Amino acid sequence: MTLMQLYQSLRDLYGYRGWWPGETTAEIVIGAILTQNVNWKNVEKAINNLKKNDLLTFEEIHRSPVERIAQLIIPTRYYNQKAMKLKNFADFLHDKYDLSFDQMFARDGATLRKQLLQIKGIGRETADSILLYAGDKLQFVSDAYTARLLGRLGFITEKLDYDELVAFITQQIPQDVDLYKDMHAQIVHFSALVCKAKPLCEGCVFGANCVGFISSTDAHG
Ligand code: SF4
């Protein structure tokens, strides 16, 4: 099986995922910052709180005290740290790009990635989600789900760091922004539903090809 066959199987299962959820660029960026280590339902609650309080823009986040933001994003856990990350991003956008996403995304992807990674609290997965989903930049997003799935399916046999895993994947698939968006979305969806920490291998579409297959007898025995 190739990586494109893996993607096609997931797409046949779930259809085009249409990621990332969010009506505005700011909402996509806020979601990318808040989603670390928490499920999406909790992120939605926090985003709704911000929306109800007119805080779903970086102009408002930049103006607001960090304590007020933290109170509204409590459902996302680590809310004090995440409120600080939102403030740090708002300061960056204000200081470097006059709070304009158009100006920010006019930068080439590689330069912008370096800048985003200098913001305190913004890691590679978050930076790459912002670049790909908010900025339509050709930057693949990886995560722990991706490493686990590709390991179980036998694509990778040794531990790769984040950038090595991104390079491993992008060398084998067409360079296409929509493909990058949907492939990450499919992997996350499948990993959350089926190939979980305790995988549901019985009936999995990859069962016959998967070196990580665990039968329910093995799981209980
Ligand atoms: S067979 Fe099991 S381990 Fe392999 S991809 Fe499917 S759910 Fe994951």
Side-chain angles (χ1 to χ4, degrees):
M1 182 168 63
T2 65
L3 284 175
M4 279 308 287
Q5 286 167 336
L6 161 65
Y7 167 66
Q8 196 56 54
S9 299
L10 294 176
R11 181 151 177 167
D12 291 346
L13 266 182
Y14 300 124
Y16 183 67
R17 302 291 307 152
W19 261 30
W20 186 289
E23 289 171 5
T24 63
T25 304
E27 188 174 335
I28 294 170
V29 172
I30 291 167
I33 292 172
L34 295 184
T35 197
Q36 300 305 310
N37 303 309
V38 70
N39 69 46
W40 185 254
K41 283 205 177 327
N42 289 44
V43 177
E44 279 178 340
K45 285 182 198 162
I47 286 179
N48 282 336
N49 289 344
L50 292 170
K51 199 178 271 179
K52 275 190 240 153
N53 286 274
D54 294 324
L55 264 165
L56 209 55
T57 69
F58 281 99
E59 288 81 357
E60 291 304 323
I61 289 173
H62 187 252
R63 267 197 283 267
S64 300
V66 69
E67 296 78 13
R68 176 155 188 252
I69 298 164
Q71 283 306 303
L72 296 171
I73 63 166
I74 284 175
T76 64
R77 299 166 70 197
Y78 314 110
Y79 50 90
N80 285 320
Q81 286 173 32
K82 288 183 179 177
M84 208 56 238
K85 290 180 191 183
L86 289 176
K87 287 292 287 181
N88 292 344
F89 183 89
D91 289 347
F92 161 80
L93 192 62
H94 174 268
D95 296 351
K96 278 219 168 352
Y97 295 108
D98 200 20
L99 289 169
S100 162
F101 278 117
D102 286 346
Q103 281 186 37
M104 180 180 121
F105 286 122
R107 281 267 179 188
D108 70 278
T111 305
L112 189 50
R113 188 175 197 250
K114 278 190 199 137
Q115 291 182 346
L116 291 172
L117 291 175
Q118 283 168 5
I119 302 172
K120 192 157 185 268
I122 302 293
R124 287 180 286 190
E125 186 185 335
T126 307
D128 291 348
S129 298
I130 292 170
L131 289 167
L132 178 63
Y133 292 105
D136 286 325
K137 301 288 187 190
L138 189 73
Q139 175 61 54
F140 195 83
V141 182
S142 182
D143 63 358
Y145 281 157
T146 310
R148 186 174 73 192
L149 180 62
L150 297 198
R152 284 174 173 173
L153 284 168
F155 284 102
I156 49 176
T157 51
E158 58 188 44
K159 198 166 162 41
L160 302 180
D161 80 9
Y162 180 96
D163 286 331
E164 289 169 338
L165 187 56
V166 167
F168 174 83
I169 294 167
T170 53
Q171 280 158 12
Q172 299 179 58
I173 63 174
Q175 299 195 353
D176 180 274
V177 169
D178 283 335
L179 171 65
Y180 282 18
K181 286 182 178 180
D182 198 47
M183 190 162 178
H184 176 62
Q186 300 288 356
I187 290 172
V188 169
H189 192 62
F190 180 69
S191 299
L193 282 185
V194 181
C195 197
K196 310 196 271 193
K198 277 192 186 168
L200 307 175
C201 299
E202 303 281 357
C204 169
V205 68
F206 300 116
N209 289 314
C210 185
V211 290
F213 182 91
I214 302 171
S215 76
S216 51
T217 333
D218 293 339
H220 294 116

